[in-house]
Amino acid sequence: MKKLIYLLIGFTLIWTMSSCSDYLNINTDPDNPTVANASNDVRLPWIQYYYGYAAGTASMRTNTILGLLTQTYASTGANSLLAAWNPSQSSCTTVYQNIYVGSAVNIDPMIQNALTNGEYHYAGAGYALKAMGFMLMLDLHGELPVQEMGILKTNPAYDDGKKMYELVMGYLDEAIKYFKMDQKVGAMALSEGDIWNSGSVDRWLKLCHGLKARYMLRLSKKAEGTDLYSFNMDGILSEIEQGPQSNDENIIVNHVNKAGDQTNFTVSDPYSSSYLWDCTAYGATQRATRYYANLLTNGFTGGSGVIDPRMSKLLPAMMANITLDNNGNIKKYV
């Protein structure tokens, strides 16, 4: 009898442990996605964020090199050295780091998952962001691993500039193809994960055509022709016609500045603020130079004195003599 009782207890324990294991296995922690279970609506906004941060960083650092921005902290600081064309290593790796570690590493898995599940618009977004990221890297570095990126090689082969350009243009064509496809019935809507266009496929398509026109203009010094790596004005005009025709058709990226915002784990900057938050005099240490201001006012020696109408959008300005109405809204200022 005792043996029978022990057998029953043992069977019960085994069954309980098995049931518990099965029960735990059906749950996925939404706060800790893995490579295996991360859905596309989780991946896409982070791919967009890290590309945007890389683009904003590239803008600040290249403009410092060009003398349009200056740094107000110690002259030996990393970004200050950019103005002297003597950059430190840390000023050269942030863009690279955010493209590869933050953005690109997630793109191919998202595309594969999208094609498996019939979420073709996510595949389109993946190819578009892949094109944008690697064209940014091509502009900055000229040669980088693209085809062998993300295959766990310690020595991936570098693609030259011509190959990178051809790959980027191919990615945009793939993006356009998938954006024009109907998603599988029941597939996750692009609006679930798209923080730029709220799922508007039309805006994405116009973005892709606008990017093609912009990238094709990079070949303006090459001979006229119809092949991919020659200057093709008719092709450029065709892409422009299919691109954004007004600000209403452009990408709109909304940002907020809020206390206690979590920070980017790679560089410790806030997640929710503008990609350009620390640039063009809006940050604590960057300032537009007099040289840049003079280019906009044409106030340099021999300049016409005609003020560039874009100046108020490009240079921050201080508001003085502010008058408020009864509701606390700004009524006028100087």
Side-chain angles (χ1 to χ4, degrees):
M1 185 66 180
K2 286 184 178 180
K3 289 183 178 179
L4 179 61
I5 292 174
Y6 290 150
L7 285 172
L8 287 173
I9 292 174
F11 175 77
T12 302
L13 287 173
I14 293 171
W15 179 84
T16 302
M17 292 173 67
S18 175
S19 299
C20 181
S21 175
D22 291 341
Y23 177 78
L24 292 175
N25 286 340
I26 66 171
N27 290 283
T28 300
D29 184 352
D31 294 326
N32 291 284
T34 66
V35 172
N37 65 33
S39 56
N40 289 335
D41 63 320
V42 171
R43 288 188 190 270
L44 179 56
W46 290 106
I47 296 170
Q48 290 173 306
Y49 167 79
Y50 280 104
Y51 164 78
Y53 188 90
T57 302
S59 174
M60 182 274 285
R61 292 183 177 170
T62 52
N63 278 291
T64 301
I65 292 170
L66 292 171
L68 305 184
L69 295 179
T70 189
Q71 312 294 319
T72 61
Y73 60 97
S75 61
T76 56
N79 291 331
S80 291
L81 295 173
L82 289 167
W85 296 359
N86 182 32
S88 66
Q89 181 175 346
S90 63
S91 288
C92 301
T93 56
T94 302
V95 179
Y96 186 106
Q97 182 182 35
N98 279 270
I99 288 294
Y100 279 99
V101 179
S103 179
V105 71
N106 282 292
I107 292 178
D108 285 341
M110 183 179 76
I111 291 173
Q112 292 304 315
N113 183 273
L115 297 180
T116 299
N117 296 325
E119 298 170 356
Y120 301 119
H121 296 164
Y122 281 93
Y127 277 114
L129 281 153
K130 198 171 184 178
M132 295 166 71
F134 284 116
M135 183 56 80
L136 175 63
M137 300 304 292
L138 172 57
D139 287 342
L140 290 176
H141 297 282
E143 295 184 358
L144 282 172
V146 180
Q147 297 181 92
E148 293 194 354
M149 185 281 302
I151 61 173
L152 302 180
K153 287 185 66 175
T154 57
N155 60 336
Y158 276 52
D159 295 293
D160 63 24
K162 181 176 184 292
K163 187 61 181 180
M164 287 181 71
Y165 179 87
E166 293 171 346
L167 288 168
V168 163
M169 299 304 283
Y171 296 151
L172 288 175
D173 287 336
E174 288 292 292
I176 291 169
K177 179 182 77 174
Y178 285 115
F179 278 129
K180 288 183 176 180
M181 292 176 64
D182 293 328
Q183 297 220 118
K184 183 178 178 180
V185 175
M188 183 181 296
L190 183 59
S191 58
E192 294 293 321
D194 179 12
I195 61 173
W196 284 358
N197 295 309
S198 301
S200 171
V201 172
D202 187 56
R203 281 191 176 182
W204 276 102
L205 281 168
K206 289 182 181 297
L207 168 67
C208 291
H209 286 293
L211 289 173
K212 287 193 71 175
R214 176 176 290 186
Y215 296 164
M216 290 167 73
L217 280 167
R218 283 165 161 73
L219 304 181
S220 62
K221 297 188 183 301
K222 292 192 172 292
E224 286 271 3
T226 57
D227 66 285
L228 184 61
Y229 208 61
S230 61
F231 187 64
N232 182 355
M233 179 54 74
D234 290 338
I236 292 170
L237 293 174
S238 174
E239 297 298 339
I240 289 174
E241 289 177 358
Q242 300 174 78
Q245 303 298 310
S246 69
N247 284 335
D248 291 336
E249 296 177 338
N250 277 328
I251 287 178
I252 297 175
V253 183
N254 295 309
H255 298 281
V256 294
N257 293 318
K258 59 183 181 182
D261 187 16
Q262 293 187 5
T263 58
N264 181 330
F265 79 96
T266 57
V267 289
S268 300
D269 282 344
Y271 279 123
S272 298
S273 58
S274 169
Y275 300 145
L276 292 169
W277 76 281
D278 207 17
C279 302
T280 321
Y282 286 103
T285 59
Q286 277 78 38
R287 292 291 182 269
T289 61
R290 169 59 64 183
Y291 165 70
Y292 183 44
N294 284 345
L295 292 177
L296 297 173
T297 63
N298 278 289
F300 50 85
T301 301
S304 66
V306 176
I307 295 177
D308 190 316
R310 300 170 297 175
M311 187 177 74
S312 63
K313 304 296 184 183
L314 297 172
L315 291 178
M318 181 180 71
M319 300 167 67
N321 300 328
I322 300 172
T323 301
L324 305 179
D325 61 21
N326 293 332
N327 296 319
N329 298 318
I330 297 175
K331 185 176 180 180
K332 63 179 182 179
Y333 64 92
V334 177

